[in-house]
Amino acid sequence: MILESTLGNHLILLLIMADLAVCAVVLFYLFGGRKRQGRSGDTGKLQETVSSLGVLLRESDRASKNLIDALHERNRRTEELLTQMDSQEKRIVEAIRRAEKLTLELEHSDISGMYREVSRLGNLGLDADEIAKRVKLPRGEIDLILGLKR
């Protein structure tokens, strides 16, 4: 965002410098041209040049306004995206906190203890039917626990 602002400021300064250069050229032709030659043909040419330079100044002004409008729109959109990102970050942090809390609760629950017991009995070499009788869980659940352990 700072880079965009700096770039926009540089572009505006460049446009101002171009406008000043055009003004300097107009002044040079107005005052310098009269001193050198006073022919009537030069006056028409000078008026044509001044008219062309006026068009250039108006176009430069329009381009400057368009650039400033574009920069303001980009800045507005960037702020909007930052707000959305902040909101999403808060939701993610909250989800992580809930997951950590649930993990701690699961580690300290009876179910977790039962699953550890199933793993321990499986490590001792008992089959799924014997483990199911001892811990009073269905055989399918014992198979699942032992399968996940592998």
Side-chain angles (χ1 to χ4, degrees):
M1 187 165 59
I2 292 171
L3 180 63
E4 289 175 1
S5 178
T6 303
L7 180 63
N9 290 339
H10 284 100
L11 289 174
I12 291 169
L13 284 174
L14 183 64
L15 288 170
I16 289 171
M17 288 173 34
D19 288 346
L20 289 174
V22 169
C23 289
V25 169
V26 168
L27 290 173
F28 174 77
Y29 276 112
L30 284 175
F31 296 110
R34 284 187 185 167
K35 289 180 183 176
R36 281 185 267 139
Q37 295 179 355
R39 293 184 293 188
S40 63
D42 286 342
T43 304
K45 196 181 225 183
L46 182 61
Q47 287 175 347
E48 182 182 319
T49 303
V50 169
S51 174
S52 296
L53 291 174
V55 170
L56 286 174
L57 283 172
R58 285 189 296 278
E59 286 297 316
S60 176
D61 187 49
R62 185 186 56 79
S64 296
K65 288 177 183 174
N66 288 342
L67 176 64
I68 290 169
D69 290 345
L71 288 172
H72 285 302
E73 176 60 24
R74 182 172 273 190
N75 189 33
R76 184 199 63 76
R77 182 65 181 140
T78 301
E79 291 295 329
E80 184 179 295
L81 290 172
L82 284 172
T83 301
Q84 289 174 1
M85 287 174 51
D86 287 343
S87 173
Q88 289 176 353
E89 179 187 21
K90 287 176 185 174
R91 288 194 312 237
I92 289 170
V93 167
E94 184 58 33
I96 290 171
R97 285 185 186 142
R98 283 187 303 220
E100 288 172 345
K101 183 179 176 184
L102 289 173
T103 301
L104 287 173
E105 288 175 4
L106 183 61
E107 287 175 355
H108 295 91
S109 71
D110 290 339
I111 294 172
S112 180
M114 255 191 275
Y115 291 165
R116 279 194 293 262
E117 181 65 13
V118 168
S119 287
R120 187 184 71 74
L121 293 172
N123 288 338
L124 293 175
L126 277 72
D127 67 355
D129 289 326
E130 183 62 32
I131 295 172
K133 288 178 192 174
R134 286 191 182 189
V135 296
K136 297 179 181 152
L137 288 174
R139 162 123 191 206
E141 194 169 344
I142 301 300
D143 289 335
L144 177 65
I145 295 167
L146 293 175
L148 289 173
K149 192 181 116 197
R150 294 183 197 142

